[in-house]
Amino acid sequence: MRISRPMVDPFDASAAFVAETIGLLREHKPGLASAVRSLCSDVESGSSRPVLAASVAQGLHADLSGCLDRLRLLPSAAGSADEQQLSAALAAVALLGAAAFSRGGRLEDGSALLDAALLRSRAAAHSAALQRVLSLVSLTLTTGPHPGTSSPPATEPPPSTRGWGVPPPPTGEMSGADLRAFVSAVCALSCPRLAPRLAAAWPAVRRWSEPNYLRARHGHRLVPVEVGAEHIGERALHGVGEQQVVCTLEAFIDDVILAGHAATRRGGLPTAVSPTVPVTSSCTRGYLAQHTLFEQIPSLRDDLGTPPAVPPSADLRAWFGPAGVATPVHHDLHHGLLVQLVGRKRVQLWPPAARGLLRAPPLGSPLANTSPFDPGLLETPPADGTWTTEEVEQLRQAASLHTLEPGDALLIPQGWWHSAQALTVSFSVSFWWNDEADAGSARGGAGLAGGT
């Protein structure tokens, strides 16, 4: 790792936010305000022992992160004053810790504090303050070995020297006739529509087609990875919603995508970082699922194009995982366009009228947009009688099947039941919007927030 420092001191870029946060906490959480103020004084004074100040910041950061993660499991806490205050405190501590680490030449550690706070941010102002400093750090930071990680010593060449083992990027682009038909389908939103090679010319289709592009540019960034219950065991301390492990993108690529290990391999504890409902099956080793990756790392958005007729305010989510990762049968509470960038993905769909066949819970119940049906039964009928042969055959007749190649896109109107499974290493993005083109409303909803 190259030891370096950003051209602008992170403390100078965050002093106003930190001061404002201390003022807020002084009224509502005086003890916490005192701790943040003391840390601020140590960093501001240019202490000759930046490692000590960074260590204090790490301790405060861990405590505040734990508090916020536990609040994720309490629906009544969402948007509460307590949650907002803790979020502001975490952002301030991360900013101060990043400044201390920067002065010690340890930018990767500072970046990790900022990222972990950004993933837990509960307010746009907190996110903006963190993003400002992250952009400064990213201008200087180069990826390399991460100090302080507990990963075992390498006994073979890094797996990232290998490719994904996926189909090559496509040649050619979508025909004019297909493009016009797709635009008409988006405007009508009456039934699904496959759009072959819609995104064939997007830079991501070629740039992300081998591992080192993402690793070299963003491998140090932290991401929330969903993990199945089989790989968590009893390590979730506070509830079944704790199915996420926070790790670097580099570790996720090397350990999970390429080496086939579980994301818990390096000892990360499962937690509840994201507000989304986990969509992983019990055997999933790791899945970067429905994450707002392009808000977290805005420069990645430059590698994507703009789908025709899709509202520019559409909510954009990332789906990245090894072969086999899948989302269960459900329907979304918004319209969606699934774009395949790397690898192949199989999507099965059923019309809204299939609710009864799919044994969906009653309308109005918390999981009304989900189904207990396993799509694998279409190929191997159950032997235990859970689903009858007649039911499976009816569902087979009602289903439509699409296999997405790199550059392909699939329009899924609101209410259409679907499941998705990666046939190879797969990176997809979803654009979500509702009839009012208000992406904000696509974020909420009962059951699965989305599943493609």
Side-chain angles (χ1 to χ4, degrees):
M1 179 184 65
R2 186 179 73 188
I3 297 200
S4 52
R5 301 179 184 177
M7 296 178 64
V8 178
D9 190 329
F11 182 82
D12 295 336
S14 55
F17 178 85
V18 171
E20 181 180 346
T21 299
I22 292 173
L24 170 70
L25 296 174
R26 186 180 295 116
E27 180 179 356
H28 302 285
K29 298 182 183 297
L32 182 55
S34 178
V36 176
R37 184 171 59 250
S38 176
L39 176 61
C40 182
S41 297
D42 287 343
V43 176
E44 185 176 19
S45 65
S47 170
S48 60
R49 300 177 64 188
V51 174
L52 179 60
S55 178
V56 171
Q58 283 182 312
L60 276 173
H61 191 290
D63 292 341
L64 291 167
S65 295
C67 290
L68 283 166
D69 290 352
R70 288 190 290 274
L71 286 177
R72 282 282 193 215
L73 305 174
L74 302 174
S76 60
S80 66
D82 187 47
E83 188 180 59
Q84 294 289 315
Q85 292 155 16
L86 290 173
S87 173
L90 178 62
V93 168
L95 292 165
L96 292 169
F101 274 126
S102 172
R103 290 170 182 177
R106 295 170 58 184
L107 289 185
E108 288 183 354
D109 290 313
S111 175
L113 286 184
L114 296 167
D115 249 340
L118 182 62
L119 293 174
R120 296 172 170 89
S121 174
R122 302 299 204 268
H126 308 166
S127 298
L130 293 163
Q131 286 282 25
R132 278 195 299 272
V133 177
L134 269 168
S135 65
L136 295 174
V137 171
S138 296
L139 286 173
T140 310
L141 186 63
T142 58
T143 56
H146 297 279
T149 58
S150 57
S151 57
T155 56
E156 60 180 11
S160 56
T161 60
R162 305 195 300 268
W164 296 129
V166 299
T171 58
E173 298 184 21
M174 193 177 194
S175 69
D178 285 343
L179 181 59
R180 288 190 293 273
F182 171 74
V183 170
S184 296
V186 174
C187 293
L189 290 171
S190 58
C191 60
R193 178 84 186 194
L194 180 66
R197 301 185 304 281
L198 175 73
W202 291 10
V205 174
R206 297 192 179 280
R207 291 176 179 171
W208 302 1
S209 63
E210 59 89 19
N212 281 333
Y213 179 87
L214 292 171
R215 288 182 80 261
R217 288 159 178 77
H218 308 292
H220 63 285
R221 300 300 297 268
L222 297 183
V223 290
V225 177
E226 294 187 8
V227 184
E230 290 182 10
H231 302 289
I232 291 177
E234 298 181 356
R235 284 182 285 181
L237 302 178
H238 300 96
V240 294
E242 296 179 301
Q243 285 188 241
Q244 294 174 320
V245 171
V246 176
C247 65
T248 64
L249 183 59
E250 177 184 48
F252 176 61
I253 290 173
D254 287 351
D255 292 351
V256 179
I257 302 289
L258 296 175
H261 300 298
T264 51
R265 178 194 184 213
R266 303 195 186 202
L269 290 175
T271 186
V273 177
S274 170
T276 55
V277 178
V279 298
T280 50
S281 63
S282 62
C283 62
T284 300
R285 300 188 304 271
Y287 194 11
L288 181 60
Q290 58 187 332
H291 179 46
T292 54
L293 183 67
F294 306 97
E295 292 182 13
Q296 181 191 358
I297 310 177
S299 60
L300 278 175
R301 182 65 177 85
D302 297 336
D303 288 343
L304 307 181
T306 301
V310 171
S313 60
D315 188 13
L316 184 56
R317 302 295 180 109
W319 307 83
F320 183 24
V325 292
T327 51
V329 178
H330 68 287
H331 76 75
D332 293 330
L333 308 180
H334 44 74
H335 308 300
L337 180 69
L338 176 66
V339 182
Q340 190 69 17
L341 302 174
V342 174
R344 303 170 69 232
K345 178 170 282 187
R346 180 174 59 201
V347 183
Q348 291 172 308
L349 301 107
W350 293 265
R355 164 177 286 277
L357 284 175
L358 291 166
R359 298 185 189 175
L363 291 170
S365 61
L367 297 175
N369 68 325
T370 67
S371 164
F373 182 67
D374 178 1
L377 298 180
L378 297 177
E379 300 176 4
T380 307
D384 60 4
T386 304
W387 295 80
T388 68
T389 302
E390 290 76 16
E391 286 177 310
V392 173
E393 182 58 29
Q394 285 181 297
L395 285 166
R396 182 182 291 109
Q397 293 296 324
S400 59
L401 175 65
H402 300 278
T403 299
L404 275 62
E405 304 285 345
D408 291 349
L410 179 63
L411 175 68
I412 306 176
Q414 179 180 345
W416 277 76
W417 298 88
H418 57 281
S419 67
Q421 181 179 28
L423 302 178
T424 65
V425 171
S426 173
F427 202 132
S428 314
V429 295
S430 289
F431 294 81
W432 292 343
W433 73 98
N434 64 13
D435 288 328
E436 290 74 36
D438 179 4
S441 66
R443 296 175 183 271
L448 296 174
T452 49

